Amino acid sequence: MKSSLAKRCFRLILFVALYLPGFGSAEDTATSDFTSALNKIATASMQEREAAVQQLISLKEPRTLLILQGLLDGQLYKLRDGDKLVLAKQKDKGFSLTDAANGDDLGTKESAEIQKIPLNNSLRVLLRKSLGSLQLNSNEINTRIEAVKAIAKVLDDESLKLLRDRLAIEQESIVQDQIKLVLALEQLNSSTKSTRIEAIDLLKDHPTQDVVNRLNTLVEKDDEGNYLETDNDVRNKAKTALAAINAKISLYSGVETLFFGLSLGAVLVLSAIGLAITFGVMGVINMAHGELMMLGAYTTYVLQQLMPQQLGTALILSIPAAFMVSAVVGIAIERGIIRFLYGRPLETLLATFGVSLVLQQTVRSIFSPLNRSVAAPEWMSGTLQINDFLSLTWNRLYILIFCLLVFMLLLQILKRTRLGLEVRAVAQNRNMAKAMGIPTAWVDAMTFGLGSGIAGVAGVALSQITNVGPNLGQAYIVDSFMVVVFGGVGNLWGTLLAGFSLGIANKLLEPTAGAVLAKILVLVFIILFIQKRPRGLFPQKGRAAEG
Amino acid sequence: MTALALPTGEVDTSHGPILYLEGVSVSFDGFKALNNLSLYIDEGELRCLIGPNGAGKTTLMDVITGKTRPDNGSVFFGQTIDLLKLDEPAIAAAGIGRKFQKPSVFEKLSVFENLELALATNKGVWPTLFAKLTSIQRERIDEVLLTIGLIESRWQQAGDLSHGQKQWLEIGMLLMQEPKVMLIDEPVAGMTHQEIERTAQLLLSLQGERSVIVVEHDMEFVRSIAKRVTVLHEGSVLTEGTMDEVQNDPRVIQVYLGD
Amino acid sequence: MFKQFYEHDKAAFWLLTLIGGIVFLIPTANIIFPEESPFHVSAYSISIIGKYLTFALLGLSLDLVWGYCGILALGQGAFFALGGYAIGMYLMRQIGTRGVYGNADLPDFMVFLNWQELPWYWYGFNHFWFALLMIVLVPGLLAYVFGWLAFRSRVTGVYLSIITQALTYALLLAFFRNEMGFGGNNGLTDFKELLGFNIQSSAVRACLLIASGLALMLAFVVSKWVINSKLGRVITAIRDQEARVRFIGYRVELFKLWIFVFAAVLAGIAGALYVPQVGIINPSEFSPLNSLEIVIWVAIGGRGTLYGGIIGAVLVN
Ligand SMILES: Nc1ncnc2c1ncn2[C@@H]1O[C@H](COP(=O)(O)OP(=O)(O)O)[C@@H](O)[C@H]1O
Ligand SMILES: [Mg+2]
């Protein structure tokens, strides 16, 4: 709604801008020139069209940029009936049209009723350059930066001149830097040695893929083993610059690996932390833990189906909703089955395994066995581009933050609330706690609900990085157990550390060993680690732990 | 593989004591369960160990039998065998047997089978797989069954025995092992008066042949068997002497009665 | 002697009689009765029954480690699968030039991956005796190494369960990789001949059924003997009071290791009998879920009874 309103206002202004000037005579000629240029573009031959385009550019009308861009992108058409120039966007079977001259909505037409304005190569080059120059002088800083980048791809004397001219009048330092960089790349071709060396110096601090490629040409040899670049100083300078840049790049890739590792670790921690509570604090091996995560993921899916327009809100709402759904199911499992099996871990394991199969089957019959994909809201998709060599995906970044938040919250719950106190008391000595009047049955149910609820929340996070299907839980259950066991049962910090270190180890190994082998190596590492420390990183101590 | 090799041959007791504990300390998370404790047990001696709850008596036995590793100190069996270098089975094979405070018999096995498992013989895997009781061994088991008064219940599951009977069975298992040193943790808890007397007789009959260390709270029982008594307090030896000496020691009185 | 045995252990007697009956009657019914007779047993059914017998053997093997020794191994399926792969490799080599690519030296999937020569670990699998050796050795050796590490460090309870699960999971991932040289995702299949006889023929199927039945009977009798030996009592004692067993002088880790390896070998044999009857082995046999299922068979049949594993395996399937 909002955006269409804005569009309408915009059109109104445009309308005023286009028609009101019609009262003055000077503007009159300008408008008629504009119209005639458009007419020529629509009807004239290829050669004349080029002249018309140039004329259009010289007029500096506000719509010029739009029209030329449309022409370049193949969206500029004319109506077969009357030769009116239109911008067309494919829509369903036909095209939705807007008047090129004033942006009026012309409804949709069949493809037979319109004809594309043809382009040739020289026209295309002309368009690129002129669009560049138009954009370069735009009022928007971002447009200008984009323009500089675009121009850098088709450098020639003319475009260089454009850039220099702009540099002379440019006020913004970001844009200035950007232009300087492009010019520096050019200066490498200069015949003056000092200019080239200066250029290398400048480029060294602003590495992009282009810079690396260009510098590489300075240090390469030809087939006979002679350097392509004959100037020793320049070549050496380039070498050191490249070395510095490569060091930076490997630092970035290190940071990136670390980030990947942390984000994988965050997923592991999220999926393991609920287990750390049910398994670690209560000693219950809950094989249905993965399915509780799956329920959380499906909750996200359902909410998104309910409000497809507001993906972001749906996602935020999914967090409490998934918590509740999984917690309720978890409490039902605890009250219905597990409480009869305390102190019998093997029976618990089998019973909850049965529950996991039932849950999977239920989901299969309600939602079909196929995987569902949960769309990511806009702010979750895309990347945070830090530079040419380092970009972080938003969804992983959010999951990392989310994981830490959940962890902190959980820690606070266990540390500061009455429930937390009771949970710890029951974990340490069930009978004593009971004797002191702690309602152990209630505490058990609540603890299990808490652990399960967190599994549900983990499911929300998972839905953002993988497809949601009935087998979602299975994929994570082994990993979750591994994390809890590695960290030391009954220790949340251990779980956190274990999750992150396993995540990072996985990603460190991946480049050399490949994803699957990395995972195998990590598993083997855990198996060996357990030999060294049979009770994990942070073992529980005391006589109670020996039983 | 060296750790697996069982020490063979006789225990060298040429200098008197069969068990040396020197400067032994054990701590759990900073709490000192044993504090620089030293203790010497002679060959064939029957020694009683008393002390309030938490004094470290059970921990001491844990250290001797390899269950707990001390932070400091040395533990020698005879002159030559360093017990800290051995693990539990090796220590057992060397000739140190133990009865636990909490009776821990194999509940799913019969009384007879419990004794059979404890029987002193080659306890390697393959010999165990092909083991057949010789008539001498059978007689030995019967003899012990008689001693511990369970001959009637030999085919009963050990889990079905009364608490006192389980205590006896544990003592029986200890006898089957024929150890040179027996560590007996609270043997008479849960026994009737008569049973206590029988236990006292049994232990007395062992001395000379074997060294026995008994931990017990029942002072009457201790008085009836003990020549020498060691009092433990807060992880170290408070005093050592005959029962009378110990009972009249003001420090002991203070420890037991509190201040 | 039969009478004595019958009186000593009725359940075992009936079980052995039952398996013996199956082994004798089913192939006979296949041969004697014509196809239209209601008593005729098809070649397909023979394989199904044979398959159940191998599952029963697998259940028996887990009952030894879990039921008697208290080691809840969540990776018993791994040994089964390894045995299966060992025989599968032999069967692959038997295909010879009859594969799609007709390459005598390389199995089809290797030709497909553009491999030039047979990896070293495939050497010898063209001999049946070598495959038989590997069926026993590979699961046994893996169990030995893994068990030695785990039991020596006294990894027990859930920790042990979880790392056995990790073991089979790691193997699952490993065998999925094409580079491993075990056919990746698709595994080993399209077998033609066993010892020169057509593997699809009902005679070979009947022989496999008989072999499975005899293996099960033999395994049952040997296991029974082991359990009734003093070693069996030590193992039961370990299950109930592990620490106590150490203090009377037994090396608990060695006893656990022995029974773990023994059970792994039984599982390997079960896998080796299973694969020719179903005609395929692929990595999914390593899935942790499969191993959990075995635990369920034993739990349902009753652990610590030997026939519990057998009955559970058949019942569930
Ligand atoms: N494994 C252990 N972990 C923590 N504390 C222990 C452990 N074993 C013993 N302790 C502590 O050491 C002290 C001595 O215990 P113990 O030797 O059992 O005393 P006693 O047998 O003389 O009553 C006690 O305070 C006990 O709580
Ligand atoms: Mg004590």
Side-chain angles (χ1 to χ4, degrees):
Chain A
M1 283 306 281
K2 224 186 218 163
S3 66
S4 68
L5 193 70
K7 238 183 232 160
R8 241 178 257 164
C9 294
F10 180 62
R11 256 183 228 144
L12 194 68
I13 294 169
L14 216 72
F15 177 81
V16 173
L18 283 174
Y19 288 92
L20 288 188
F23 292 109
S25 64
E27 277 85 5
D28 236 11
T29 45
T31 320
S32 67
D33 282 350
F34 180 60
T35 332
S36 73
L38 288 188
N39 266 337
K40 260 191 219 152
I41 291 178
T43 54
S45 70
M46 207 51 100
Q47 250 111 26
E48 285 173 339
R49 187 169 292 134
E50 210 170 311
V53 167
Q54 257 157 4
Q55 190 192 357
L56 191 60
I57 294 167
S58 65
L59 288 176
K60 296 207 162 67
E61 279 285 329
R63 286 195 62 80
T64 308
L65 201 60
L66 220 69
I67 295 167
L68 294 183
Q69 189 69 54
L71 182 55
L72 188 62
D73 297 343
Q75 289 174 346
L76 194 67
Y77 289 73
K78 64 178 179 185
L79 296 181
R80 282 189 194 277
D81 176 17
D83 288 340
K84 188 195 257 293
L85 266 188
V86 293
L87 287 166
K89 270 210 179 91
Q90 189 129 27
K91 188 181 166 194
D92 299 328
K93 281 185 187 136
F95 287 85
S96 75
L97 308 181
T98 46
D99 191 332
N102 51 31
D104 280 353
D105 195 341
L106 298 178
T108 53
K109 289 241 156 69
E110 302 264 311
S111 62
E113 294 173 85
I114 54 178
Q115 187 183 9
K116 194 183 258 180
I117 306 294
L119 274 180
N120 63 6
N121 254 344
S122 75
L123 194 50
R124 207 167 273 130
V125 172
L126 172 69
L127 279 174
R128 283 223 180 86
K129 270 189 216 138
S130 43
L131 272 174
S133 101
L134 280 175
Q135 285 166 342
L136 199 54
N137 294 306
S138 140
N139 290 330
E140 288 285 318
I141 294 178
N142 279 334
T143 319
R144 295 210 294 275
I145 292 180
E146 288 308 316
V148 175
K149 282 183 186 164
I151 290 172
K153 294 206 176 94
V154 284
L155 273 190
D156 58 15
D157 289 345
E158 251 176 87
S159 48
L160 278 174
K161 183 172 173 299
L162 261 177
L163 287 178
R164 291 208 188 89
D165 290 349
R166 182 67 215 182
L167 186 57
I169 52 169
E170 180 61 58
Q171 303 289 325
E172 289 294 331
S173 65
I174 325 176
V175 186
Q176 280 176 353
D177 284 350
Q178 198 69 44
I179 296 176
K180 274 188 202 155
L181 270 180
V182 177
L183 292 179
L185 268 174
E186 180 53 29
Q187 280 161 11
L188 284 181
N189 301 331
S190 141
S191 48
T192 338
K193 189 164 156 186
S194 61
T195 318
R196 301 176 74 193
I197 287 184
E198 255 172 49
I200 294 177
D201 263 335
L202 184 65
L203 291 173
K204 188 179 72 188
D205 299 327
H206 297 90
T208 64
Q209 199 54 52
D210 290 342
V211 171
V212 174
N213 294 345
R214 184 68 182 87
L215 287 180
N216 268 328
T217 62
L218 292 182
V219 298
E220 270 165 7
K221 289 177 181 171
D222 65 11
D223 293 339
E224 277 132 51
N226 301 319
Y227 282 107
L228 290 175
E229 172 59 52
T230 43
D231 190 317
N232 271 336
D233 292 337
V234 172
R235 200 169 61 228
N236 288 336
K237 191 81 192 169
K239 260 187 197 156
T240 43
L242 267 177
I245 292 175
N246 282 335
K248 233 182 210 169
I249 291 178
S250 62
L251 177 73
Y252 287 142
S253 85
V255 170
E256 196 173 56
T257 311
L258 188 72
F259 172 71
F260 281 150
L262 283 176
S263 72
L264 175 63
V267 174
L268 289 176
V269 170
L270 270 176
S271 54
I273 202 150
L275 200 65
I277 296 195
T278 49
F279 180 42
V281 180
M282 300 174 71
V284 169
I285 305 184
N286 181 14
M287 294 302 287
H289 182 80
E291 278 59 41
L292 291 167
M293 287 171 23
M294 172 196 74
L295 287 184
Y298 269 101
T299 310
T300 319
Y301 170 72
V302 169
L303 274 182
Q304 207 168 72
Q305 296 301 305
L306 289 181
M307 36 172 113
Q309 299 304 319
Q310 273 111 352
L311 293 182
T313 325
L315 189 64
I316 304 276
L317 284 181
S318 306
I319 297 170
F323 183 90
M324 288 314 295
V325 169
S326 296
V328 166
V329 174
I331 291 174
I333 297 175
E334 200 275 341
R335 285 290 90 186
I337 298 171
I338 293 176
R339 78 179 155 127
F340 304 109
L341 299 174
Y342 279 117
R344 283 151 63 191
L346 304 181
E347 281 84 347
T348 316
L349 187 146
L350 297 179
T352 51
F353 178 60
V355 170
S356 80
L357 295 182
V358 170
L359 286 177
Q360 277 175 36
Q361 203 49 49
T362 316
V363 164
R364 236 174 242 132
S365 44
I366 296 180
F367 294 97
S368 102
L370 298 178
N371 277 354
R372 301 285 179 204
S373 87
V374 172
E378 215 166 302
W379 43 269
M380 280 286 277
S381 47
T383 54
L384 172 63
Q385 189 83 30
I386 295 180
N387 58 38
D388 255 24
F389 305 99
L390 182 61
S391 58
L392 312 177
T393 48
W394 279 115
N395 59 353
R396 298 202 168 261
L397 202 60
Y398 276 118
I399 286 176
L400 182 56
I401 296 167
F402 183 60
C403 160
L404 293 176
L405 284 180
V406 170
F407 180 79
M408 288 304 162
L409 192 70
L410 194 60
L411 218 55
Q412 292 309 312
I413 289 177
L414 286 182
K415 221 178 189 167
R416 302 223 190 279
T417 64
R418 171 91 200 160
L419 175 67
L421 182 68
E422 291 178 347
V423 166
R424 282 179 292 140
V426 173
Q428 273 184 19
N429 193 332
R430 172 171 296 270
N431 288 332
M432 183 59 94
K434 203 178 213 160
M436 309 233 330
I438 293 176
T440 48
W442 186 82
V443 172
D444 285 339
M446 285 303 116
T447 318
F448 205 81
L450 183 65
S452 308
I454 287 172
V457 169
V460 178
L462 279 185
S463 76
Q464 290 299 308
I465 50 172
T466 61
N467 281 332
V468 178
N471 296 334
L472 177 82
Q474 272 173 26
Y476 284 88
I477 187 78
V478 178
D479 286 334
S480 318
F481 272 117
M482 234 42 82
V483 169
V484 175
V485 164
F486 181 49
V489 174
N491 189 312
L492 286 185
W493 283 102
T495 306
L496 186 77
L497 196 68
F500 281 135
S501 40
L502 290 184
I504 292 171
N506 226 322
K507 289 294 172 189
L508 277 181
L509 289 171
E510 245 172 46
T512 42
V516 180
L517 200 57
K519 189 143 191 197
I520 297 171
L521 288 175
V522 167
L523 283 175
V524 170
F525 165 74
I526 294 179
I527 292 175
L528 292 177
F529 176 84
I530 294 291
Q531 325 288 338
K532 276 281 148 233
R533 311 215 25 186
R535 284 169 186 278
L537 278 175
F538 299 102
Q540 271 179 328
K541 293 202 189 101
R543 278 187 177 170
E546 284 168 19
Chain B
M1 287 309 273
T2 46
L4 292 181
L6 302 180
T8 48
E10 283 303 293
V11 180
D12 179 5
T13 55
S14 52
H15 289 69
I18 191 167
L19 205 56
Y20 297 76
L21 285 94
E22 276 163 2
V24 175
S25 297
V26 172
S27 59
F28 297 107
D29 288 331
F31 170 78
K32 290 221 162 198
L34 289 183
N35 191 1
N36 197 16
L37 175 140
S38 297
L39 187 70
Y40 305 91
I41 306 292
D42 283 335
E43 204 181 357
E45 178 184 2
L46 193 156
R47 174 75 64 94
C48 280
L49 219 53
I50 62 173
N53 266 333
K57 306 180 294 288
T58 302
T59 306
L60 174 65
M61 294 196 165
D62 288 347
V63 168
I64 298 172
T65 52
K67 185 170 180 226
T68 302
R69 298 276 157 201
D71 306 334
N72 289 307
S74 58
V75 184
F76 271 83
F77 188 36
Q79 295 290 305
T80 50
I81 303 174
D82 183 352
L83 290 183
L84 299 185
K85 291 213 175 89
L86 303 181
D87 62 359
E88 299 99 315
I91 292 172
I96 295 179
R98 173 174 186 186
K99 179 210 156 297
F100 284 81
Q101 180 170 347
K102 186 172 137 233
S104 45
V105 295
F106 305 116
E107 312 225 330
K108 294 278 164 55
L109 300 179
S110 70
V111 170
F112 183 88
E113 288 168 337
N114 265 282
L115 294 181
E116 183 203 4
L117 287 195
L119 179 74
T121 174
N122 190 334
K123 288 174 177 169
V125 177
W126 293 105
T128 309
L129 180 62
F130 295 108
K132 261 188 133 25
L133 284 179
T134 64
S135 54
I136 299 176
Q137 288 170 330
R138 273 184 190 283
E139 272 167 35
R140 173 82 189 128
I141 294 179
D142 284 344
E143 198 182 307
V144 170
L145 278 171
L146 215 58
T147 316
I148 60 177
L150 290 175
I151 192 110
E152 302 289 308
S153 6
R154 59 193 301 174
W155 297 122
Q156 212 175 328
Q157 270 213 348
D160 298 340
L161 299 177
S162 73
H163 188 76
Q165 283 176 315
K166 281 183 191 165
Q167 296 271 46
W168 273 109
L169 179 54
E170 273 228 59
I171 295 172
M173 289 164 74
L174 200 50
L175 292 174
M176 291 304 306
Q177 284 177 262
E178 301 179 26
K180 299 193 183 63
V181 173
M182 290 180 158
L183 309 175
I184 304 182
D185 206 347
E186 309 203 2
V188 301
M191 284 190 180
T192 64
H193 197 69
Q194 282 154 326
E195 282 176 324
I196 293 179
E197 233 162 68
R198 280 237 313 277
T199 312
Q201 273 167 19
L202 175 67
L203 293 183
L204 282 172
S205 76
L206 291 174
Q207 67 172 315
E209 224 177 302
R210 314 182 191 290
S211 311
V212 182
I213 305 178
V214 182
V215 166
E216 194 40 81
H217 286 297
D218 187 324
M219 285 304 157
E220 208 179 318
F221 173 77
V222 173
R223 175 175 285 283
S224 67
I225 58 170
K227 292 225 178 61
R228 283 186 80 73
V229 176
T230 301
V231 185
L232 282 194
H233 177 54
E234 290 179 353
S236 22
V237 175
L238 186 69
T239 180
E240 211 171 282
T242 64
M243 190 67 189
D244 286 327
E245 284 167 4
V246 164
Q247 268 190 325
N248 294 323
D249 190 316
R251 285 176 306 172
V252 176
I253 295 170
Q254 195 198 358
V255 163
Y256 267 95
L257 300 179
D259 31 15
Chain C
M1 200 185 94
F2 269 117
K3 189 159 179 245
Q4 216 180 340
F5 177 46
Y6 173 70
E7 268 157 19
H8 185 73
D9 192 342
K10 282 183 193 156
F13 177 83
W14 284 119
L15 188 78
L16 285 176
T17 315
L18 182 70
I19 302 171
I22 291 175
V23 164
F24 178 72
L25 288 177
I26 303 276
T28 319
N30 175 266
I31 296 166
I32 292 184
F33 297 107
E35 273 187 34
E36 54 284 355
S37 155
F39 297 107
H40 178 79
V41 179
S42 70
Y44 175 72
S45 317
I46 290 185
S47 286
I48 299 279
I49 296 168
K51 190 173 88 172
Y52 291 161
L53 290 177
T54 64
F55 284 159
L57 180 52
L58 180 57
L60 172 78
S61 78
L62 183 70
D63 196 18
L64 282 174
V65 275
W66 181 34
Y68 285 94
C69 198
I71 304 168
L72 178 56
L74 296 181
Q76 198 67 8
F79 304 120
F80 181 79
L82 284 174
Y85 266 98
I87 194 77
M89 287 162 81
Y90 163 74
L91 294 171
M92 272 328 252
R93 301 290 283 128
Q94 286 288 295
I95 295 175
T97 54
R98 280 163 295 181
V100 176
Y101 298 104
N103 189 324
D105 298 325
L106 291 183
D108 274 352
F109 71 88
M110 291 189 193
V111 182
F112 183 74
L113 289 174
N114 260 333
W115 289 18
Q116 295 311 319
E117 53 186 309
L118 204 63
W120 60 267
Y121 45 82
W122 276 73
Y123 293 168
F125 275 98
N126 43 343
H127 306 295
F128 187 61
W129 64 266
F130 185 81
L132 286 189
L133 197 65
M134 288 302 127
I135 287 164
V136 173
L137 268 188
V138 173
L141 209 64
L142 177 67
Y144 185 84
V145 173
F146 181 84
W148 190 74
L149 287 169
F151 300 140
R152 188 193 49 147
S153 333
R154 301 191 185 173
V155 180
T156 53
V158 292
Y159 290 91
L160 190 79
S161 301
I162 300 293
I163 62 166
T164 53
Q165 191 172 46
L167 174 74
T168 188
Y169 188 51
L171 284 169
L172 168 79
L173 294 174
F175 274 74
F176 261 125
R177 284 162 50 87
N178 279 328
E179 296 84 345
M180 283 285 288
F182 295 108
N185 214 343
N186 302 321
L188 310 177
T189 185
D190 285 336
F191 309 133
K192 307 275 191 254
E193 275 179 4
L194 177 64
L195 289 170
F197 300 102
N198 179 1
I199 204 164
Q200 307 282 354
S201 70
S202 37
V204 168
R205 288 180 184 226
C207 285
L208 284 168
L209 171 89
I210 294 172
S212 307
L214 290 181
L216 179 59
M217 287 165 77
L218 190 66
F220 182 80
V221 171
V222 173
S223 303
K224 195 89 200 161
W225 176 73
V226 167
I227 290 309
N228 287 335
S229 76
K230 187 173 172 189
L231 181 131
R233 290 189 281 285
V234 172
I235 280 170
T236 317
I238 289 173
R239 177 189 69 196
D240 296 336
Q241 292 260 4
E242 176 168 340
R244 188 71 180 86
V245 178
R246 285 204 184 92
F247 290 108
I248 49 177
Y250 292 98
R251 293 211 160 273
V252 165
E253 62 275 21
L254 296 185
F255 283 81
K256 282 182 163 181
L257 189 58
W258 193 91
I259 198 80
F260 191 61
V261 171
F262 179 62
V265 168
L266 289 187
I269 294 173
L273 287 164
Y274 166 82
V275 167
Q277 303 192 62
V278 297
I280 184 168
I281 172 79
N282 62 29
S284 66
E285 295 294 337
F286 284 108
S287 140
L289 283 182
N290 277 24
S291 293
L292 264 172
E293 210 175 291
I294 309 169
V295 174
I296 292 180
W297 301 344
V298 178
I300 288 179
R303 52 188 283 230
T305 54
L306 285 187
Y307 36 83
I310 298 176
I311 294 170
V314 175
L315 269 186
V316 174
N317 286 298

